[in-house]
Amino acid sequence: MNNQLVRRMNTVGKVGRIITIIVIVLAIIASVAMAAAAVVVTVLPEDTISVNVSAQADVVLSDKIFGAVNDTIVKEVNSSAPKQIDVGIGGVKVQAENDNGNAVIHADAEKFHLESGMLAPYIWIAMFNCIAFVVCAFFFNGLMKELSAAPSPFTEGVVRKMKFFAIAILAASVATSLVNSFIPLLLTSGHIYTLSFNFISIIAAVIIFVLATVFRYGAQLQKESDETL
């Protein structure tokens, strides 16, 4: 293989390994911080910290631009639009009026209540997702290490590291999907169990498996070529 291409591949592996190590260290620090926060939020009373939020917004459609349809907009908003829109953490009341030819749409958010205990499931989920990311990054670092010293991308070592990385992505995707569904079910009341998978990660793992198979074929050809010479 061209020596220049091999050197470029080794350089990519070395740079990728350095960047990956930095990312792993930062992710580990973030995981520890989230673990500490999750324990504190879970142990303390749910109402240790409580927040009440309300908001109001007015959307004004100028008569100079929307004048021909302003009356229609006001009528449609008041007649067909839901008087209250559920946004997950509260409701938003919507009403419209005509003000000197301008259509004014009022949106008033109901005051919603947020307690520190409500954050516990999301902190645990974020921590587990961060740990899963660290595991995948370790396997990716192994691949970069192999590329930084390999005489060719078509070696059994590179193929093996690619497969390990693909397995790590697939396992992390399944594990995080299960955790994302089970933790809210365990820590909150009235939570409906829903299971969904990150298909992008699964597709990425499949693609890496396919590439590993192609690289293995290339490794076999490389071996046969070296034996012939």
Side-chain angles (χ1 to χ4, degrees):
M1 177 171 284
N2 190 300
N3 290 332
Q4 185 176 2
L5 294 177
V6 173
R7 284 195 298 271
R8 287 181 181 177
M9 180 193 70
N10 296 151
T11 301
V12 169
K14 292 175 182 177
V15 173
R17 191 182 179 197
I18 293 172
I19 295 175
T20 305
I21 291 174
I22 295 174
V23 171
I24 288 174
V25 171
L26 294 176
I28 291 175
I29 295 173
S31 299
V32 173
M34 283 186 286
V39 171
V40 170
V41 172
T42 303
V43 172
L44 291 178
E46 291 188 356
D47 58 350
T48 301
I49 301 174
S50 60
V51 180
N52 293 314
V53 180
S54 61
Q56 180 179 4
D58 293 330
V59 179
V60 180
L61 304 180
S62 173
D63 177 48
K64 296 179 181 179
I65 299 176
F66 300 95
V69 295
N70 270 353
D71 289 338
T72 303
I73 292 175
V74 172
K75 291 178 181 178
E76 288 295 325
V77 170
N78 288 332
S79 61
S80 61
K83 294 299 181 290
Q84 181 166 311
I85 303 173
D86 185 14
V87 293
I89 55 177
V92 177
K93 295 180 180 178
V94 180
Q95 188 178 5
E97 65 177 356
N98 195 309
D99 183 14
N100 295 325
N102 299 325
V104 182
I105 302 174
H106 303 286
D108 298 316
E110 291 183 336
K111 182 167 67 174
F112 64 89
H113 182 68
L114 180 65
E115 295 180 349
S116 54
M118 299 177 183
L119 301 176
Y122 304 101
I123 298 176
W124 282 111
I125 288 172
M127 183 203 70
F128 190 88
N129 289 344
C130 197
I131 293 174
F133 174 80
V134 170
V135 172
C136 291
F138 267 113
F139 282 97
F140 181 75
N141 181 59
L143 175 59
M144 291 296 100
K145 181 180 179 181
E146 191 71 29
L147 287 176
S148 67
S152 166
F154 305 112
T155 63
E156 289 295 330
V158 172
V159 173
R160 185 171 58 256
K161 297 295 184 181
M162 288 179 68
K163 286 189 174 182
F164 287 162
F165 181 46
I167 293 173
I169 292 176
L170 185 60
S173 177
V174 174
T176 53
S177 298
L178 293 174
V179 168
N180 291 352
S181 299
F182 275 117
I183 285 183
L185 187 66
L186 295 174
L187 298 182
T188 60
S189 58
H191 178 79
I192 300 175
Y193 177 78
T194 56
L195 179 61
S196 60
F197 291 97
N198 186 345
F199 288 103
I200 295 179
S201 298
I202 295 175
I203 292 172
V206 171
I207 292 174
I208 296 173
F209 265 120
V210 172
L211 290 175
T213 302
V214 174
F215 273 58
R216 167 158 285 181
Y217 178 70
Q220 291 176 349
L221 293 180
Q222 182 75 39
K223 184 178 179 180
E224 292 176 0
S225 175
D226 293 340
E227 289 176 352
T228 302
L229 295 177

